[in-house]
Amino acid sequence: ELADTPIHRKRLVEIYRQFRPSLVLAHDARDYHADHRAASALAESATWMVASNGHRTSNAPLAAPPALWWIDTVMMQEFEPGFYIDVSPYMELKKRMLACHKSQLRRKDEKGFGSLEAVLVQQCTTRGAQAGVAAAEAFRSHPAWKRARAW
């Protein structure tokens, strides 16, 4: 039931102002899940508003909007990577983290759902092959004005 509404935006702006990130990772706008697409829209708008004096919250605005990176879509659908991060040393940790996602793991026996671990491994090894490493994750930087950063 996530949506890009003024109430949700203000809550997210407050969270960003509290933690003051320099980088935000968000779902791509073309991801398969409605909540992921809504989270994408919210992250895009809130990361811009977080530096605006016109949006009042209990925490002060950031000096500049944080950089925003779009994360790869599940099964790499309609996602053109801008760059890759080598995650080869972290694959076992990623599997353990995935095992904590109980709501999704309960769905493994539903029609159309398979092993999320298999999807994770397949996607990371495919992106790794594209990047010349054993396993990688793909990202794209949000290129809007005042949003890109040199790292």
Side-chain angles (χ1 to χ4, degrees):
E1 298 180 15
L2 187 62
D4 184 11
T5 65
I7 292 170
H8 287 126
R9 284 182 187 181
K10 187 170 186 168
R11 285 183 68 193
L12 192 53
V13 167
E14 181 65 35
I15 291 167
Y16 288 159
R17 285 179 175 177
Q18 179 183 358
F19 290 98
R20 310 193 77 72
S22 58
L23 171 65
V24 171
L25 306 178
H27 287 287
D28 186 78
R30 292 166 296 202
D31 206 331
Y32 78 103
H33 197 286
D35 283 347
H36 296 185
R37 294 188 303 273
S40 175
L42 274 167
E44 198 282 327
S45 59
T47 55
W48 178 256
M49 293 173 182
V50 75
S52 171
N53 288 322
H55 296 277
R56 300 208 188 281
T57 64
S58 60
N59 288 289
L62 275 64
L68 179 59
W69 291 359
W70 305 121
I71 61 175
D72 203 353
T73 57
V74 174
M75 296 305 293
M76 305 168 282
Q77 296 288 318
E78 295 187 48
F79 190 86
E80 185 65 35
F83 58 95
Y84 302 88
I85 303 289
D86 182 359
V87 297
S88 304
Y90 307 103
M91 286 303 294
E92 290 308 312
L93 175 61
K94 288 176 66 61
K95 290 175 189 176
R96 288 196 315 271
M97 290 169 53
L98 181 61
C100 296
H101 200 343
K102 302 295 184 199
S103 65
Q104 294 300 310
L105 295 174
R106 282 194 296 264
R107 301 187 75 186
K108 69 180 170 82
D109 295 325
E110 290 181 29
K111 184 177 180 181
F113 281 87
S115 165
L116 289 180
E117 184 175 310
V119 170
L120 168 77
V121 170
Q122 179 184 16
Q123 185 151 339
C124 287
T125 55
T126 299
R127 291 303 194 194
Q130 293 169 345
V133 296
E137 291 184 359
F139 298 88
R140 188 172 53 244
S141 178
H142 184 42
W145 184 57
K146 294 187 175 186
R147 307 307 284 284
R149 300 283 186 277
W151 297 89

